[in-house]
Amino acid sequence: MSGLKPAIAFEQVGVRFSRGGRDVVALENASFEVPESGFMTLLGPSGCGKSTLLRIVADIIRPSSGKVSILGETSAEARRARNIGFVFQDAALLPWLTVIDNVRLPLQIGRSDRREGRHTAEELLALVGLAGREQDFPHELSGGMRQRVSIARALLQEPRILLMDEPFGALDEITRDRLNDVLLHIWRETETTVLFVTHSIQEAAYLGQSVMVLAARPGRVREIVPVELQGPRSSSTRELPAFIKLCGQLRRILETC
Amino acid sequence: MNKDQTAMPLEHASSGDGVSLPDAPQAIRPTVFVRERLPGVMLPVTGVIVFIVLWWFAIRFFHIKPYIAPSPDAVAATLFNKRWILLQNLWPTAVEAICGFLLGNGMAIVVATVFVHSRTLERAFFPIMVLLNSVPVVAKAPILVLLLGNGLAPKIGIAAIVCFFPTLVNMARGLESVNPQALELMHVLSATRGEVFTRLRLPTAVPYLFSALKVAASTSVVGAIVGEWIGSQYGIGALIIQATYNFDSRLLYATVICGSVLSVLFFSIIRTAERVCARRYETRER
Ligand SMILES: Nc1ncnc2c1ncn2[C@@H]1O[C@H](COP(=O)(O)OP(=O)(O)O)[C@@H](O)[C@H]1O
Ligand SMILES: [Mg+2]
């Protein structure tokens, strides 16, 4: 929003994997920027490199070519400074830890980094609507609840960048809509920069300030569509003519991918 | 839990073709009656009693000579009369089995940890371990007796060796079977290898370790007994050899029963430990 320093900047980034002697181009010449406190959603067919893109930001994999800048530093520096929160598709909670211990896991790892952000683990659980479930184990929760625990875990150290890889993909539509509103509430409050992968056109349009559409084989940025919807999102947003028009536009772009 | 397990074979038998019928109303299934009338421990106890009675009848009606096979009452009498000799020989076997169990499994856990952290070492040394494991225990035993003399050491060594390999394989598999996304999470948190190991790999491996330890509980006793077969003066294994040479079938059977009791006892201890740990470490997700 400041427009001065982008939180995430990709310049001609490429990733290739060699699999069985053959090279797979997972991402080719990806260039884009996400401003600080921005919310960008990623949309595209399976295998177009959405997860790969998020993994590059989190320094889980290194690009084969191009330049990546995260908060003005390298991705490794941003990771070591605990500036990156990652929410995985299957929540990835540790089944032998209680809900509250799962949320506090980041404090157990690394010596110098042990500090909570503005909110304590309890407050974050309350924020995602799980007050009173602190001592439960993950298997006692529904899929949506587990995903909320993992969001609380990702937010614990108040990362300046939040990466979400199809976090609500496995949930029913009602639950997903509710969690979308929870997420937008958190985003507005924390002013973190969000990069959010989804399969759902509606979800991408509802959440994002802009939607990046990726094309497959090879994975590449097809188009970045700004979202121009007035006011904060609510359930009536989905009925606005502008919203419906945007979804149609995104669908047409996806069909050419 | 126990109740369900013991009732299971009957349930299968009732549906004739071995396929259970989930839709059949409970009341018309005859096994439900059996299951509700006989508490969990009753069925296995009944099985044991039936077995002993059949054994007794077989000895009586086929006129089997006492030096071929004893009757159950004769074995029971021997168990009582020779209880001191049996206990005296049970004790060293138990010590050997426990020491071998601790040593073999301890080594296996250490080696699995090393393998998980170094692909090079795994590729170099895993094949030779597979090869050594393929040598039967009875063939390894004399070699160890030559190497380690005639005291407790070779028996402990053999017990340790038979425990080692299954635990190594299971533990390594457990340490590898971490949730890949949890592994990525650890990376995002900049966790060191040590932290990944203690926070993620070790807890993931606990259920795998216990299933190996349960097997090892019985095999360590087998290992100790096989070790005692070779020129030993004491222990369950030595007593088995001695009784066989003397055609003392009653002592032989009594000794074998003592060995089994040791095995079962050992197994139960491990299973209890597993249940206590399972409350913390069992993978209950999905
Ligand atoms: N570790 C890997 N090794 C080899 N190929 C990979 C690896 N990770 C991803 N790929 C390949 O890269 C492409 C993009 O994958 P991914 O980023 O997971 O796609 P998406 O998340 O959009 O479905 C796919 O063709 C996938 O098979
Ligand atoms: Mg993906």
Side-chain angles (χ1 to χ4, degrees), chain A residues 23-35:
Chain A
D23 264 15
V24 179
V25 180
L27 205 61
E28 195 177 64
N29 288 340
S31 298
F32 66 92
E33 288 184 356
V34 186

Side-chain angles (χ1 to χ4, degrees), chain B residues 45-205:
Chain B
V45 166
T46 310
V48 169
I49 290 169
V50 168
F51 174 76
I52 291 173
V53 169
L54 285 177
W55 174 8
W56 188 79
F57 269 106
I59 301 286
R60 285 307 288 282
F61 286 100
F62 297 112
H63 300 292
I64 293 170
K65 303 274 186 311
Y67 62 84
I68 303 285
S71 68
D73 51 309
V75 173
T78 308
L79 270 174
F80 183 76
N81 294 333
K82 301 209 167 160
R83 62 190 181 278
W84 293 118
I85 293 173
L86 288 167
L87 273 179
Q88 257 171 26
N89 287 284
L90 190 60
W91 176 242
T93 306
V95 170
E96 292 154 9
I98 291 169
C99 291
F101 178 88
L102 295 176
L103 187 69
N105 290 305
M107 295 271 291
I109 292 169
V110 170
V111 173
T113 305
V114 171
F115 279 2
V116 142
H117 288 104
S118 166
R119 282 270 162 276
T120 316
L121 286 177
E122 181 178 353
R123 284 217 212 100
F125 292 106
F126 192 68
I128 182 79
M129 285 174 184
V130 175
L131 203 71
L132 290 178
N133 181 60
S134 68
V135 179
V137 201
V138 282
K140 277 183 276 196
I143 296 175
L144 271 166
V145 171
L146 282 187
L147 279 173
L148 298 173
N150 225 340
L152 282 179
K155 288 97 178 175
I156 293 173
I158 293 159
I161 281 175
V162 294
C163 292
F164 176 79
F165 194 76
T167 304
L168 170 67
V169 171
N170 251 35
M171 188 68 189
R173 202 154 49 108
L175 292 173
E176 289 290 357
S177 67
V178 292
N179 176 345
Q181 299 197 345
L183 210 53
E184 291 193 350
L185 171 74
M186 287 294 174
H187 184 84
V188 172
L189 293 172
S190 308
T192 61
R193 283 176 137 208
E195 284 167 332
V196 172
F197 185 76
T198 54
R199 300 268 165 205
L200 188 60
R201 291 195 189 277
L202 215 48
T204 305

Side-chain angles (χ1 to χ4, degrees), chain A residues 17-19 24 26 45-53 55 165-166:
Chain A
F17 295 107
S18 57
R19 199 167 38 190
V24 179
S46 313
C48 69
K50 304 184 294 293
S51 301
T52 302
L53 199 151
R55 287 199 179 98
D165 194 352
E166 298 183 38

Side-chain angles (χ1 to χ4, degrees), chain A:
Chain A
M1 278 193 228
S2 66
L4 293 173
K5 192 179 67 177
I8 302 171
F10 272 44
E11 236 178 84
Q12 302 287 314
V13 172
V15 177
R16 44 186 84 235
F17 295 107
S18 57
R19 199 167 38 190
R22 238 165 23 92
D23 264 15
V24 179
V25 180
L27 205 61
E28 195 177 64
N29 288 340
S31 298
F32 66 92
E33 288 184 356
V34 186
E36 277 213 59
S37 305
F39 198 130
M40 185 184 266
T41 47
L42 266 67
L43 198 56
S46 313
C48 69
K50 304 184 294 293
S51 301
T52 302
L53 199 151
L54 251 55
R55 287 199 179 98
I56 292 171
V57 177
D59 191 42
I60 296 169
I61 52 179
R62 296 268 156 84
S64 326
S65 59
K67 196 165 162 289
V68 175
S69 160
I70 309 297
L71 301 164
E73 323 172 285
T74 66
S75 52
E77 284 163 334
R79 165 174 63 80
R80 272 186 237 113
R82 290 286 168 94
N83 269 325
I84 303 208
F86 207 121
V87 178
F88 298 90
Q89 186 165 9
D90 84 345
L93 301 180
L94 305 186
W96 53 87
L97 295 181
T98 57
V99 164
I100 190 82
D101 287 341
N102 263 293
V103 176
R104 289 206 187 107
L105 180 75
L107 305 179
Q108 308 287 317
I109 309 283
R111 207 157 285 162
S112 54
D113 297 314
R114 288 187 189 182
R115 56 185 164 75
E116 281 171 330
R118 228 178 325 183
H119 296 288
T120 63
E122 286 88 352
E123 286 168 352
L124 283 168
L125 279 174
L127 191 65
V128 296
L130 285 175
R133 305 302 294 262
E134 290 83 359
Q135 299 306 322
D136 286 5
F137 282 92
H139 74 280
E140 296 170 292
L141 305 179
S142 70
M145 289 172 173
R146 277 186 229 162
Q147 204 49 275
R148 282 186 272 172
V149 176
S150 87
I151 291 171
R153 177 179 64 192
L155 292 171
L156 185 71
Q157 295 191 298
E158 231 179 299
R160 288 167 66 193
I161 292 177
L162 183 61
L163 306 170
M164 307 180 85
D165 194 352
E166 298 183 38
F168 310 137
L171 307 181
D172 64 88
E173 214 160 338
I174 308 281
T175 311
R176 184 202 293 185
D177 288 351
R178 197 174 317 130
L179 288 183
N180 280 342
D181 290 327
V182 170
L183 176 61
L184 286 177
H185 173 80
I186 290 168
W187 170 61
R188 261 179 245 117
E189 199 199 343
T190 58
E191 298 179 312
T192 176
T193 308
V194 183
L195 207 50
F196 184 103
V197 172
T198 176
H199 265 133
S200 156
I201 293 173
Q202 292 240 346
E203 194 177 37
Y206 186 76
L207 290 174
Q209 290 181 317
S210 56
V211 181
M212 171 155 56
V213 185
L214 292 154
R217 275 169 292 269
R220 61 199 186 279
V221 179
R222 177 75 173 69
E223 198 165 334
I224 295 173
V225 183
V227 176
E228 274 136 6
L229 297 170
Q230 257 76 57
R233 312 287 200 265
S234 70
S235 51
S236 60
T237 305
R238 294 191 180 86
E239 285 146 34
L240 291 176
F243 184 83
I244 294 163
K245 193 162 152 262
L246 174 64
C247 288
Q249 186 193 349
L250 291 172
R251 170 156 294 128
R252 278 190 298 281
I253 299 171
L254 269 177
E255 276 160 4
T256 65
C257 285

